[in-house]
Amino acid sequence: MEDRDQVQKILDESALCVVTMEPDDIQALGNILNNFDAVCKIVQETAPKAWLDLSAGLKGVAEKMALFEVDSPSRALDELGKGISLLQETQRAVEEDAGEIERLCAFLRECPYTDSTMECVEPWATGPEPAETEDQSPPLDLSQDRELIESFIQESMEHLSTIEIHVLELEKEPDNLQLVDAIFRPFHTIKGVSGFLNLREINKLAHQIETVLDDARSKKISVSPSLVDIVLDGVDLVTRLIDDVDDRLKTGRLEPEYLELGPFLERLHTVGEGVNAPLEDGEEENIPEGDGLDVGELLVKKGVVQAEDLEEALAKQASGESKGKKIGEILIEGKKAKARDVAQALRKQKADRQPAKAAGGNGAGFIKVDTLKLDNMVDMVGELVINEAVLKQRLAMAAGKDRDLAGDLAQLGRITSEIQRIAMSMRMIPMKNTFQKMIRLVRDLASKAGKKVNLEMMGEDTEIDRNVVDMIYDPLVHMVRNSADHGIEIPKDRLAAGKPEAGTIILNAYHKGGNMIIEVTDDGRGLDKEALTAKAMEKGLIQSAEGMSDQDIFGLIFHPGFSTAKKVTDVSGRGVGMDVVKGVLDKLRGKVEVMSRKGQGTSILLKLPLTLAVIDGIIVRAGEQSYVIPTISVLESIRPNREDCHTVVNKGEMIKIRGSLYPLIRLHELFDFPPNTRDPWDAIVVIAESEGKQKCILVDEILGKQEVVIKSLSAMLKNVVGLAGGAILANGRVGMILDVAGLFSLVESQAEYLTAS
C-alpha cells in the first residue's frame, strides 16, 4: 500500500504539472519524464504490462514534445493529460479487470503520439493486494500548503461559477460539444490541483464527474437533462467540499466534514451508462441553495407550492427559526417542495439573471476582448488626450474672455482624463498570477538543492500594465532562481550561522511615486563584494575596485556571463540570467537596485513604469527642438555658476555641484543642431541618473511636466542611440523622448575614443 500511495502522489504531481504548464516548457517536460521513470521503477514487478506499456508510451509523448517532434504541441499536451488521468484511475484498481486492461490498450492504440507497435495484452499481475481502504483527507499542513490551498480555493470557485453558466447554456444547446469541453476542462484542473494538494475527496469527486463529461465529449453518451442535473449537483457537492476546506483553513479544524457521496456516485454511474437517473428525494441536502424570494415566487408561479406555504417559509426565515437557511431548503424540509423543483427554479433564476449581467446590469459581467482591439483603443484615447491639449492651448486666450468656453474646455478636460484613466485601467492586471507561478519554481529548486525555502508574497493585488507583466516574468524567474540557488544556504550551513533551518524568499509589489516596485528579498548568504570585484578583475571588467560604490560593485552581477558560482548546476551558475533582468529593465525604461549584506541576505528592487503606453516626462527645449526626459531619470535642475563649470583633462566638461563633479552632455553636439545657448551658466542643466551614474544635460529652457503618449519612431530613426521614441506635445509639435541610459553610453564611448586617440 505504501508503494501505491507513492505512485499516486507522483501521478498527481504529474497531472498538476500538465494542467499548469505550457506545451514548450522543457523543464516541466523533464520533470514529467523523471516522474515516469520513478513510477515504472516502483511498480516494475507488480503492475500489469498494459499499465507499464501506457507509461512508456506517455513517456515517449513527453520526449517527442521536448524534441519538438509533434505536429500539434497543444494537442499532444492534451493527450498526455488524458493518459496520466487514465493511469491515475486504473492505478487504484486492485483486482484483475479485463475492462480496465482494454481501456489502457485502447488509449495506447488511439493516441496519435504513442508508438503504435506496442502490444498490451497481458492481464494484471496476480500477486496479493490488500483491500483498498476508503480515502480519508489527512489534516491540512497549513505551514507548507496554506498559500497553495488559498489559491486553489479561489481559482476553483471561479471555475465552478463558470461551469454553472456553461451547463445552463448546454441545457439549451445539448449538441454543442464546445460547451461540454468548456465544462470538462475546469473539472480537469480542479481534479489535478486537488490531487497534488492531497484533497482526496475533492479529487475523487471531480475525477468521476470528469470521466462522465469525457464520455459526453467523445459522444459515447448524449447530453440529457439527467446529465445536466448531475453536473449541477456535482458542482454543489464540490463547492461544499471546498467550503469545508476553506473553513478548516480558517479555524484550524483538522477533521473534515463528513459528506455521503455514495448516492451521488451511483447516479453518476447510471448517467455514465447513458441511462436517465431521476433525482432521489433523499438527496435534498445536495440541492443548490436558492436566493430566497425569487426562487419562492418561481415555485409559486409553477404551482409547486402555495402562496401561503411561501409566506410561512418567509416568516420562519425572518424570525430566525430557520437560522441561516434558504427558502428552498425550508420548503424542502417542510415537504412543501421536492429537491428537483427547487433545483430547476434556481436554474431558471440563474438563466434569467445571466443576460442582465452580460448586458451590464447590477451584476459584474465579463466579456473577452481581443487585446489588439484594446491596444488600438488605448492608442486612440492617447490621440484624444493629445488633441484635447492642443485645442485647449489654442483656445486659451479666447477662453479667458469667454466663461462658457472656459467651462466647456474644463469639462472636456475632466471627461478626457476620466476616459484615459478607464482605458489605461483596462490594461491593468494584478501581479497575483505571476507571483503564484513562483511557488512551484521555489519548491522544485529547493527540492533539487536539498534546501528548505519558504516563499512569502505581499502585494499580489497590485496592478500593472498587462504588457509589463508579460515582460517582467522572465526576469522575476531569474531573480527567484538566484535567491533559491545562490542565496539561500543548505540547512546545516544556516544552522551553523545561527539562522532558522528554512530560508525565506519574499516577493513584494507596491506602487510608489507613480511607479511599480517589485522586490525580491532573501535571508541567505548575501553578496560577497570581495568575490565580485575579484571575478570582475579576472574578466577584465574593471581594473580595480577603488572608488567604486556598493551599488557599482553589486551592479557587476548584471554583466553577461558574470557568475561567482564555483559549481555549475542545472539551475544556474553559467552567468546567464541576471543580464536578462538588466536587458528587460532597459526595454521597460525601468531601474534596478541591489542591496546586500554578507551573511544576512540580498534584496533586488525593480522600479517599473505602470504602463508602456504613457510616460511621465519633463519637457525641455534645446535650440529649437523639444525633448522629453523621463521623470524617473531626473534628479534636479539648476543654473550653475560660472566658476563651477570646468574642463578636466581626458574627461571633458564637468559641472561642480555641492563638491562633486558631473560630466556635461550637450544635446546639440550629439544630435547636430544649432544651439541657442552654449554657456552652461546662461542656460539650465538637468541632472539625470541611470544605473547609479549621474550626468548633466544642457538645455535652454524647462517647459513643464506632462504625461505624453509614446509613439514609435520610423525605421530611419529607431536605431538612433539616445532616443526612445516620440510624442506629440500640447503645442502640437513632435518632441523626442530621450533614452537617458543610451545618452550616457554614447557619451562614454565617445570619451573612450577620444582618450584612446
Side-chain angles (χ1 to χ4, degrees), residues 162-168 170 178-188 209 213 231 235:
T162 303
I163 289 170
E164 285 187 331
I165 295 170
H166 287 314
V167 170
L168 293 172
L170 183 64
Q178 290 184 345
L179 288 174
V180 179
D181 195 57
I183 298 167
F184 170 85
R185 288 189 176 279
F187 271 119
H188 181 71
I209 298 171
L213 289 169
V231 172
V235 167

mmCIF file with all atom_site columns, all heavy atoms in Angstrom, residues 162-168 170 178-188 209 213 231 235:
data_model
loop_
_atom_site.group_PDB
_atom_site.id
_atom_site.type_symbol
_atom_site.label_atom_id
_atom_site.label_alt_id
_atom_site.label_comp_id
_atom_site.label_asym_id
_atom_site.label_entity_id
_atom_site.label_seq_id
_atom_site.pdbx_PDB_ins_code
_atom_site.Cartn_x
_atom_site.Cartn_y
_atom_site.Cartn_z
_atom_site.occupancy
_atom_site.B_iso_or_equiv
_atom_site.pdbx_formal_charge
_atom_site.auth_seq_id
_atom_site.auth_comp_id
_atom_site.auth_asym_id
_atom_site.auth_atom_id
_atom_site.pdbx_PDB_model_num
ATOM 1   N N   . THR A 1 162 ? -18.059 29.402 -13.497 1.00 0.00 ? 162 THR A N   1
ATOM 2   C CA  . THR A 1 162 ? -18.025 29.300 -14.961 1.00 0.00 ? 162 THR A CA  1
ATOM 3   C C   . THR A 1 162 ? -18.741 28.037 -15.424 1.00 0.00 ? 162 THR A C   1
ATOM 4   O O   . THR A 1 162 ? -19.477 28.049 -16.414 1.00 0.00 ? 162 THR A O   1
ATOM 5   C CB  . THR A 1 162 ? -16.570 29.273 -15.453 1.00 0.00 ? 162 THR A CB  1
ATOM 6   O OG1 . THR A 1 162 ? -15.899 30.442 -14.991 1.00 0.00 ? 162 THR A OG1 1
ATOM 7   C CG2 . THR A 1 162 ? -16.502 29.228 -16.961 1.00 0.00 ? 162 THR A CG2 1
ATOM 8   N N   . ILE A 1 163 ? -18.532 26.937 -14.710 1.00 0.00 ? 163 ILE A N   1
ATOM 9   C CA  . ILE A 1 163 ? -19.173 25.674 -15.076 1.00 0.00 ? 163 ILE A CA  1
ATOM 10  C C   . ILE A 1 163 ? -20.693 25.818 -15.051 1.00 0.00 ? 163 ILE A C   1
ATOM 11  O O   . ILE A 1 163 ? -21.394 25.379 -15.969 1.00 0.00 ? 163 ILE A O   1
ATOM 12  C CB  . ILE A 1 163 ? -18.721 24.549 -14.125 1.00 0.00 ? 163 ILE A CB  1
ATOM 13  C CG1 . ILE A 1 163 ? -17.255 24.181 -14.395 1.00 0.00 ? 163 ILE A CG1 1
ATOM 14  C CG2 . ILE A 1 163 ? -19.606 23.315 -14.275 1.00 0.00 ? 163 ILE A CG2 1
ATOM 15  C CD1 . ILE A 1 163 ? -16.649 23.263 -13.356 1.00 0.00 ? 163 ILE A CD1 1
ATOM 16  N N   . GLU A 1 164 ? -21.227 26.440 -13.990 1.00 0.00 ? 164 GLU A N   1
ATOM 17  C CA  . GLU A 1 164 ? -22.680 26.593 -13.877 1.00 0.00 ? 164 GLU A CA  1
ATOM 18  C C   . GLU A 1 164 ? -23.257 27.335 -15.077 1.00 0.00 ? 164 GLU A C   1
ATOM 19  O O   . GLU A 1 164 ? -24.288 26.961 -15.633 1.00 0.00 ? 164 GLU A O   1
ATOM 20  C CB  . GLU A 1 164 ? -23.026 27.318 -12.577 1.00 0.00 ? 164 GLU A CB  1
ATOM 21  C CG  . GLU A 1 164 ? -22.879 26.458 -11.334 1.00 0.00 ? 164 GLU A CG  1
ATOM 22  C CD  . GLU A 1 164 ? -23.395 27.165 -10.092 1.00 0.00 ? 164 GLU A CD  1
ATOM 23  O OE1 . GLU A 1 164 ? -23.343 28.405 -10.068 1.00 0.00 ? 164 GLU A OE1 1
ATOM 24  O OE2 . GLU A 1 164 ? -23.857 26.486 -9.174  1.00 0.00 ? 164 GLU A OE2 1
ATOM 25  N N   . ILE A 1 165 ? -22.576 28.400 -15.471 1.00 0.00 ? 165 ILE A N   1
ATOM 26  C CA  . ILE A 1 165 ? -23.052 29.188 -16.612 1.00 0.00 ? 165 ILE A CA  1
ATOM 27  C C   . ILE A 1 165 ? -23.051 28.347 -17.879 1.00 0.00 ? 165 ILE A C   1
ATOM 28  O O   . ILE A 1 165 ? -24.015 28.337 -18.651 1.00 0.00 ? 165 ILE A O   1
ATOM 29  C CB  . ILE A 1 165 ? -22.179 30.442 -16.796 1.00 0.00 ? 165 ILE A CB  1
ATOM 30  C CG1 . ILE A 1 165 ? -22.347 31.375 -15.588 1.00 0.00 ? 165 ILE A CG1 1
ATOM 31  C CG2 . ILE A 1 165 ? -22.532 31.179 -18.087 1.00 0.00 ? 165 ILE A CG2 1
ATOM 32  C CD1 . ILE A 1 165 ? -21.360 32.517 -15.555 1.00 0.00 ? 165 ILE A CD1 1
ATOM 33  N N   . HIS A 1 166 ? -21.966 27.598 -18.092 1.00 0.00 ? 166 HIS A N   1
ATOM 34  C CA  . HIS A 1 166 ? -21.868 26.770 -19.300 1.00 0.00 ? 166 HIS A CA  1
ATOM 35  C C   . HIS A 1 166 ? -22.883 25.621 -19.281 1.00 0.00 ? 166 HIS A C   1
ATOM 36  O O   . HIS A 1 166 ? -23.404 25.237 -20.342 1.00 0.00 ? 166 HIS A O   1
ATOM 37  C CB  . HIS A 1 166 ? -20.452 26.215 -19.443 1.00 0.00 ? 166 HIS A CB  1
ATOM 38  C CG  . HIS A 1 166 ? -19.439 27.228 -19.855 1.00 0.00 ? 166 HIS A CG  1
ATOM 39  N ND1 . HIS A 1 166 ? -19.655 28.122 -20.879 1.00 0.00 ? 166 HIS A ND1 1
ATOM 40  C CD2 . HIS A 1 166 ? -18.198 27.507 -19.386 1.00 0.00 ? 166 HIS A CD2 1
ATOM 41  C CE1 . HIS A 1 166 ? -18.600 28.898 -21.030 1.00 0.00 ? 166 HIS A CE1 1
ATOM 42  N NE2 . HIS A 1 166 ? -17.697 28.551 -20.129 1.00 0.00 ? 166 HIS A NE2 1
ATOM 43  N N   . VAL A 1 167 ? -23.175 25.084 -18.097 1.00 0.00 ? 167 VAL A N   1
ATOM 44  C CA  . VAL A 1 167 ? -24.156 23.999 -18.012 1.00 0.00 ? 167 VAL A CA  1
ATOM 45  C C   . VAL A 1 167 ? -25.542 24.513 -18.394 1.00 0.00 ? 167 VAL A C   1
ATOM 46  O O   . VAL A 1 167 ? -26.308 23.843 -19.099 1.00 0.00 ? 167 VAL A O   1
ATOM 47  C CB  . VAL A 1 167 ? -24.178 23.385 -16.596 1.00 0.00 ? 167 VAL A CB  1
ATOM 48  C CG1 . VAL A 1 167 ? -25.354 22.426 -16.443 1.00 0.00 ? 167 VAL A CG1 1
ATOM 49  C CG2 . VAL A 1 167 ? -22.880 22.636 -16.324 1.00 0.00 ? 167 VAL A CG2 1
ATOM 50  N N   . LEU A 1 168 ? -25.889 25.710 -17.941 1.00 0.00 ? 168 LEU A N   1
ATOM 51  C CA  . LEU A 1 168 ? -27.181 26.288 -18.307 1.00 0.00 ? 168 LEU A CA  1
ATOM 52  C C   . LEU A 1 168 ? -27.271 26.522 -19.816 1.00 0.00 ? 168 LEU A C   1
ATOM 53  O O   . LEU A 1 168 ? -28.327 26.340 -20.426 1.00 0.00 ? 168 LEU A O   1
ATOM 54  C CB  . LEU A 1 168 ? -27.391 27.606 -17.554 1.00 0.00 ? 168 LEU A CB  1
ATOM 55  C CG  . LEU A 1 168 ? -27.544 27.468 -16.029 1.00 0.00 ? 168 LEU A CG  1
ATOM 56  C CD1 . LEU A 1 168 ? -27.547 28.832 -15.367 1.00 0.00 ? 168 LEU A CD1 1
ATOM 57  C CD2 . LEU A 1 168 ? -28.817 26.721 -15.686 1.00 0.00 ? 168 LEU A CD2 1
ATOM 58  N N   . LEU A 1 170 ? -25.592 24.727 -21.961 1.00 0.00 ? 170 LEU A N   1
ATOM 59  C CA  . LEU A 1 170 ? -25.623 23.389 -22.544 1.00 0.00 ? 170 LEU A CA  1
ATOM 60  C C   . LEU A 1 170 ? -27.039 22.824 -22.537 1.00 0.00 ? 170 LEU A C   1
ATOM 61  O O   . LEU A 1 170 ? -27.427 22.077 -23.449 1.00 0.00 ? 170 LEU A O   1
ATOM 62  C CB  . LEU A 1 170 ? -24.669 22.463 -21.783 1.00 0.00 ? 170 LEU A CB  1
ATOM 63  C CG  . LEU A 1 170 ? -24.519 21.039 -22.314 1.00 0.00 ? 170 LEU A CG  1
ATOM 64  C CD1 . LEU A 1 170 ? -23.907 21.056 -23.709 1.00 0.00 ? 170 LEU A CD1 1
ATOM 65  C CD2 . LEU A 1 170 ? -23.664 20.208 -21.371 1.00 0.00 ? 170 LEU A CD2 1
ATOM 66  N N   . GLN A 1 178 ? -18.529 22.116 -27.810 1.00 0.00 ? 178 GLN A N   1
ATOM 67  C CA  . GLN A 1 178 ? -17.598 23.110 -27.264 1.00 0.00 ? 178 GLN A CA  1
ATOM 68  C C   . GLN A 1 178 ? -17.973 23.467 -25.834 1.00 0.00 ? 178 GLN A C   1
ATOM 69  O O   . GLN A 1 178 ? -17.099 23.705 -24.994 1.00 0.00 ? 178 GLN A O   1
ATOM 70  C CB  . GLN A 1 178 ? -17.590 24.357 -28.140 1.00 0.00 ? 178 GLN A CB  1
ATOM 71  C CG  . GLN A 1 178 ? -16.944 24.153 -29.499 1.00 0.00 ? 178 GLN A CG  1
ATOM 72  C CD  . GLN A 1 178 ? -16.877 25.427 -30.301 1.00 0.00 ? 178 GLN A CD  1
ATOM 73  O OE1 . GLN A 1 178 ? -17.538 26.414 -29.993 1.00 0.00 ? 178 GLN A OE1 1
ATOM 74  N NE2 . GLN A 1 178 ? -16.068 25.418 -31.354 1.00 0.00 ? 178 GLN A NE2 1
ATOM 75  N N   . LEU A 1 179 ? -19.286 23.499 -25.557 1.00 0.00 ? 179 LEU A N   1
ATOM 76  C CA  . LEU A 1 179 ? -19.727 23.766 -24.185 1.00 0.00 ? 179 LEU A CA  1
ATOM 77  C C   . LEU A 1 179 ? -19.353 22.608 -23.264 1.00 0.00 ? 179 LEU A C   1
ATOM 78  O O   . LEU A 1 179 ? -18.961 22.831 -22.109 1.00 0.00 ? 179 LEU A O   1
ATOM 79  C CB  . LEU A 1 179 ? -21.240 24.000 -24.161 1.00 0.00 ? 179 LEU A CB  1
ATOM 80  C CG  . LEU A 1 179 ? -21.734 25.319 -24.761 1.00 0.00 ? 179 LEU A CG  1
ATOM 81  C CD1 . LEU A 1 179 ? -23.251 25.346 -24.806 1.00 0.00 ? 179 LEU A CD1 1
ATOM 82  C CD2 . LEU A 1 179 ? -21.208 26.510 -23.944 1.00 0.00 ? 179 LEU A CD2 1
ATOM 83  N N   . VAL A 1 180 ? -19.486 21.373 -23.759 1.00 0.00 ? 180 VAL A N   1
ATOM 84  C CA  . VAL A 1 180 ? -19.079 20.213 -22.950 1.00 0.00 ? 180 VAL A CA  1
ATOM 85  C C   . VAL A 1 180 ? -17.595 20.311 -22.620 1.00 0.00 ? 180 VAL A C   1
ATOM 86  O O   . VAL A 1 180 ? -17.177 20.059 -21.485 1.00 0.00 ? 180 VAL A O   1
ATOM 87  C CB  . VAL A 1 180 ? -19.376 18.895 -23.697 1.00 0.00 ? 180 VAL A CB  1
ATOM 88  C CG1 . VAL A 1 180 ? -18.925 17.696 -22.861 1.00 0.00 ? 180 VAL A CG1 1
ATOM 89  C CG2 . VAL A 1 180 ? -20.852 18.779 -24.015 1.00 0.00 ? 180 VAL A CG2 1
ATOM 90  N N   . ASP A 1 181 ? -16.803 20.698 -23.612 1.00 0.00 ? 181 ASP A N   1
ATOM 91  C CA  . ASP A 1 181 ? -15.361 20.835 -23.402 1.00 0.00 ? 181 ASP A CA  1
ATOM 92  C C   . ASP A 1 181 ? -15.070 21.948 -22.406 1.00 0.00 ? 181 ASP A C   1
ATOM 93  O O   . ASP A 1 181 ? -14.167 21.830 -21.569 1.00 0.00 ? 181 ASP A O   1
ATOM 94  C CB  . ASP A 1 181 ? -14.675 21.134 -24.740 1.00 0.00 ? 181 ASP A CB  1
ATOM 95  C CG  . ASP A 1 181 ? -13.176 20.932 -24.671 1.00 0.00 ? 181 ASP A CG  1
ATOM 96  O OD1 . ASP A 1 181 ? -12.741 19.828 -24.329 1.00 0.00 ? 181 ASP A OD1 1
ATOM 97  O OD2 . ASP A 1 181 ? -12.442 21.894 -24.954 1.00 0.00 ? 181 ASP A OD2 1
ATOM 98  N N   . ALA A 1 182 ? -15.841 23.043 -22.484 1.00 0.00 ? 182 ALA A N   1
ATOM 99  C CA  . ALA A 1 182 ? -15.651 24.169 -21.561 1.00 0.00 ? 182 ALA A CA  1
ATOM 100 C C   . ALA A 1 182 ? -16.016 23.789 -20.135 1.00 0.00 ? 182 ALA A C   1
ATOM 101 O O   . ALA A 1 182 ? -15.525 24.403 -19.178 1.00 0.00 ? 182 ALA A O   1
ATOM 102 C CB  . ALA A 1 182 ? -16.489 25.368 -22.016 1.00 0.00 ? 182 ALA A CB  1
ATOM 103 N N   . ILE A 1 183 ? -16.878 22.792 -19.958 1.00 0.00 ? 183 ILE A N   1
ATOM 104 C CA  . ILE A 1 183 ? -17.223 22.300 -18.616 1.00 0.00 ? 183 ILE A CA  1
ATOM 105 C C   . ILE A 1 183 ? -16.190 21.282 -18.151 1.00 0.00 ? 183 ILE A C   1
ATOM 106 O O   . ILE A 1 183 ? -15.816 21.242 -16.972 1.00 0.00 ? 183 ILE A O   1
ATOM 107 C CB  . ILE A 1 183 ? -18.631 21.664 -18.633 1.00 0.00 ? 183 ILE A CB  1
ATOM 108 C CG1 . ILE A 1 183 ? -19.676 22.717 -19.016 1.00 0.00 ? 183 ILE A CG1 1
ATOM 109 C CG2 . ILE A 1 183 ? -18.974 21.057 -17.271 1.00 0.00 ? 183 ILE A CG2 1
ATOM 110 C CD1 . ILE A 1 183 ? -21.029 22.126 -19.362 1.00 0.00 ? 183 ILE A CD1 1
ATOM 111 N N   . PHE A 1 184 ? -15.705 20.465 -19.085 1.00 0.00 ? 184 PHE A N   1
ATOM 112 C CA  . PHE A 1 184 ? -14.744 19.406 -18.755 1.00 0.00 ? 184 PHE A CA  1
ATOM 113 C C   . PHE A 1 184 ? -13.430 19.979 -18.223 1.00 0.00 ? 184 PHE A C   1
ATOM 114 O O   . PHE A 1 184 ? -12.890 19.495 -17.219 1.00 0.00 ? 184 PHE A O   1
ATOM 115 C CB  . PHE A 1 184 ? -14.496 18.555 -20.006 1.00 0.00 ? 184 PHE A CB  1
ATOM 116 C CG  . PHE A 1 184 ? -13.363 17.581 -19.883 1.00 0.00 ? 184 PHE A CG  1
ATOM 117 C CD1 . PHE A 1 184 ? -13.554 16.325 -19.328 1.00 0.00 ? 184 PHE A CD1 1
ATOM 118 C CD2 . PHE A 1 184 ? -12.085 17.919 -20.311 1.00 0.00 ? 184 PHE A CD2 1
ATOM 119 C CE1 . PHE A 1 184 ? -12.508 15.429 -19.211 1.00 0.00 ? 184 PHE A CE1 1
ATOM 120 C CE2 . PHE A 1 184 ? -11.030 17.035 -20.204 1.00 0.00 ? 184 PHE A CE2 1
ATOM 121 C CZ  . PHE A 1 184 ? -11.249 15.779 -19.652 1.00 0.00 ? 184 PHE A CZ  1
ATOM 122 N N   . ARG A 1 185 ? -12.904 20.998 -18.893 1.00 0.00 ? 185 ARG A N   1
ATOM 123 C CA  . ARG A 1 185 ? -11.565 21.487 -18.562 1.00 0.00 ? 185 ARG A CA  1
ATOM 124 C C   . ARG A 1 185 ? -11.455 22.037 -17.132 1.00 0.00 ? 185 ARG A C   1
ATOM 125 O O   . ARG A 1 185 ? -10.486 21.739 -16.432 1.00 0.00 ? 185 ARG A O   1
ATOM 126 C CB  . ARG A 1 185 ? -11.114 22.527 -19.589 1.00 0.00 ? 185 ARG A CB  1
ATOM 127 C CG  . ARG A 1 185 ? -10.778 21.900 -20.935 1.00 0.00 ? 185 ARG A CG  1
ATOM 128 C CD  . ARG A 1 185 ? -10.122 22.891 -21.883 1.00 0.00 ? 185 ARG A CD  1
ATOM 129 N NE  . ARG A 1 185 ? -9.738  22.236 -23.121 1.00 0.00 ? 185 ARG A NE  1
ATOM 130 C CZ  . ARG A 1 185 ? -8.641  21.520 -23.284 1.00 0.00 ? 185 ARG A CZ  1
ATOM 131 N NH1 . ARG A 1 185 ? -7.814  21.372 -22.275 1.00 0.00 ? 185 ARG A NH1 1
ATOM 132 N NH2 . ARG A 1 185 ? -8.355  20.962 -24.440 1.00 0.00 ? 185 ARG A NH2 1
ATOM 133 N N   . PRO A 1 186 ? -12.422 22.855 -16.666 1.00 0.00 ? 186 PRO A N   1
ATOM 134 C CA  . PRO A 1 186 ? -12.304 23.301 -15.259 1.00 0.00 ? 186 PRO A CA  1
ATOM 135 C C   . PRO A 1 186 ? -12.326 22.150 -14.266 1.00 0.00 ? 186 PRO A C   1
ATOM 136 O O   . PRO A 1 186 ? -11.598 22.172 -13.269 1.00 0.00 ? 186 PRO A O   1
ATOM 137 C CB  . PRO A 1 186 ? -13.524 24.220 -15.092 1.00 0.00 ? 186 PRO A CB  1
ATOM 138 C CG  . PRO A 1 186 ? -13.872 24.670 -16.465 1.00 0.00 ? 186 PRO A CG  1
ATOM 139 C CD  . PRO A 1 186 ? -13.538 23.524 -17.356 1.00 0.00 ? 186 PRO A CD  1
ATOM 140 N N   . PHE A 1 187 ? -13.165 21.133 -14.518 1.00 0.00 ? 187 PHE A N   1
ATOM 141 C CA  . PHE A 1 187 ? -13.171 19.969 -13.624 1.00 0.00 ? 187 PHE A CA  1
ATOM 142 C C   . PHE A 1 187 ? -11.815 19.258 -13.671 1.00 0.00 ? 187 PHE A C   1
ATOM 143 O O   . PHE A 1 187 ? -11.315 18.779 -12.644 1.00 0.00 ? 187 PHE A O   1
ATOM 144 C CB  . PHE A 1 187 ? -14.282 18.988 -14.020 1.00 0.00 ? 187 PHE A CB  1
ATOM 145 C CG  . PHE A 1 187 ? -15.597 19.257 -13.349 1.00 0.00 ? 187 PHE A CG  1
ATOM 146 C CD1 . PHE A 1 187 ? -16.723 19.554 -14.088 1.00 0.00 ? 187 PHE A CD1 1
ATOM 147 C CD2 . PHE A 1 187 ? -15.706 19.218 -11.968 1.00 0.00 ? 187 PHE A CD2 1
ATOM 148 C CE1 . PHE A 1 187 ? -17.943 19.804 -13.478 1.00 0.00 ? 187 PHE A CE1 1
ATOM 149 C CE2 . PHE A 1 187 ? -16.920 19.467 -11.331 1.00 0.00 ? 187 PHE A CE2 1
ATOM 150 C CZ  . PHE A 1 187 ? -18.039 19.766 -12.099 1.00 0.00 ? 187 PHE A CZ  1
ATOM 151 N N   . HIS A 1 188 ? -11.222 19.189 -14.870 1.00 0.00 ? 188 HIS A N   1
ATOM 152 C CA  . HIS A 1 188 ? -9.901  18.557 -15.004 1.00 0.00 ? 188 HIS A CA  1
ATOM 153 C C   . HIS A 1 188 ? -8.862  19.314 -14.189 1.00 0.00 ? 188 HIS A C   1
ATOM 154 O O   . HIS A 1 188 ? -8.010  18.716 -13.517 1.00 0.00 ? 188 HIS A O   1
ATOM 155 C CB  . HIS A 1 188 ? -9.507  18.532 -16.483 1.00 0.00 ? 188 HIS A CB  1
ATOM 156 C CG  . HIS A 1 188 ? -8.190  17.883 -16.748 1.00 0.00 ? 188 HIS A CG  1
ATOM 157 N ND1 . HIS A 1 188 ? -7.985  16.528 -16.626 1.00 0.00 ? 188 HIS A ND1 1
ATOM 158 C CD2 . HIS A 1 188 ? -6.986  18.405 -17.101 1.00 0.00 ? 188 HIS A CD2 1
ATOM 159 C CE1 . HIS A 1 188 ? -6.719  16.231 -16.902 1.00 0.00 ? 188 HIS A CE1 1
ATOM 160 N NE2 . HIS A 1 188 ? -6.086  17.356 -17.192 1.00 0.00 ? 188 HIS A NE2 1
ATOM 161 N N   . ILE A 1 209 ? -16.790 13.001 -12.101 1.00 0.00 ? 209 ILE A N   1
ATOM 162 C CA  . ILE A 1 209 ? -17.588 13.886 -12.962 1.00 0.00 ? 209 ILE A CA  1
ATOM 163 C C   . ILE A 1 209 ? -16.864 14.103 -14.284 1.00 0.00 ? 209 ILE A C   1
ATOM 164 O O   . ILE A 1 209 ? -17.472 14.096 -15.359 1.00 0.00 ? 209 ILE A O   1
ATOM 165 C CB  . ILE A 1 209 ? -17.843 15.230 -12.250 1.00 0.00 ? 209 ILE A CB  1
ATOM 166 C CG1 . ILE A 1 209 ? -18.639 15.011 -10.966 1.00 0.00 ? 209 ILE A CG1 1
ATOM 167 C CG2 . ILE A 1 209 ? -18.596 16.188 -13.166 1.00 0.00 ? 209 ILE A CG2 1
ATOM 168 C CD1 . ILE A 1 209 ? -18.760 16.251 -10.093 1.00 0.00 ? 209 ILE A CD1 1
ATOM 169 N N   . LEU A 1 213 ? -18.105 13.486 -18.236 1.00 0.00 ? 213 LEU A N   1
ATOM 170 C CA  . LEU A 1 213 ? -18.035 14.566 -19.220 1.00 0.00 ? 213 LEU A CA  1
ATOM 171 C C   . LEU A 1 213 ? -17.150 14.173 -20.402 1.00 0.00 ? 213 LEU A C   1
ATOM 172 O O   . LEU A 1 213 ? -17.424 14.555 -21.544 1.00 0.00 ? 213 LEU A O   1
ATOM 173 C CB  . LEU A 1 213 ? -17.509 15.839 -18.560 1.00 0.00 ? 213 LEU A CB  1
ATOM 174 C CG  . LEU A 1 213 ? -18.464 16.523 -17.587 1.00 0.00 ? 213 LEU A CG  1
ATOM 175 C CD1 . LEU A 1 213 ? -17.728 17.618 -16.808 1.00 0.00 ? 213 LEU A CD1 1
ATOM 176 C CD2 . LEU A 1 213 ? -19.647 17.125 -18.331 1.00 0.00 ? 213 LEU A CD2 1
ATOM 177 N N   . VAL A 1 231 ? -24.463 17.195 -13.233 1.00 0.00 ? 231 VAL A N   1
ATOM 178 C CA  . VAL A 1 231 ? -23.305 18.086 -13.206 1.00 0.00 ? 231 VAL A CA  1
ATOM 179 C C   . VAL A 1 231 ? -23.557 19.252 -12.259 1.00 0.00 ? 231 VAL A C   1
ATOM 180 O O   . VAL A 1 231 ? -22.678 19.649 -11.482 1.00 0.00 ? 231 VAL A O   1
ATOM 181 C CB  . VAL A 1 231 ? -22.982 18.595 -14.630 1.00 0.00 ? 231 VAL A CB  1
ATOM 182 C CG1 . VAL A 1 231 ? -21.895 19.665 -14.568 1.00 0.00 ? 231 VAL A CG1 1
ATOM 183 C CG2 . VAL A 1 231 ? -22.517 17.449 -15.507 1.00 0.00 ? 231 VAL A CG2 1
ATOM 184 N N   . VAL A 1 235 ? -21.463 20.163 -8.989  1.00 0.00 ? 235 VAL A N   1
ATOM 185 C CA  . VAL A 1 235 ? -20.889 21.481 -8.673  1.00 0.00 ? 235 VAL A CA  1
ATOM 186 C C   . VAL A 1 235 ? -21.161 21.837 -7.222  1.00 0.00 ? 235 VAL A C   1
ATOM 187 O O   . VAL A 1 235 ? -20.281 22.333 -6.500  1.00 0.00 ? 235 VAL A O   1
ATOM 188 C CB  . VAL A 1 235 ? -21.469 22.556 -9.618  1.00 0.00 ? 235 VAL A CB  1
ATOM 189 C CG1 . VAL A 1 235 ? -21.138 23.952 -9.103  1.00 0.00 ? 235 VAL A CG1 1
ATOM 190 C CG2 . VAL A 1 235 ? -20.921 22.383 -11.023 1.00 0.00 ? 235 VAL A CG2 1
#
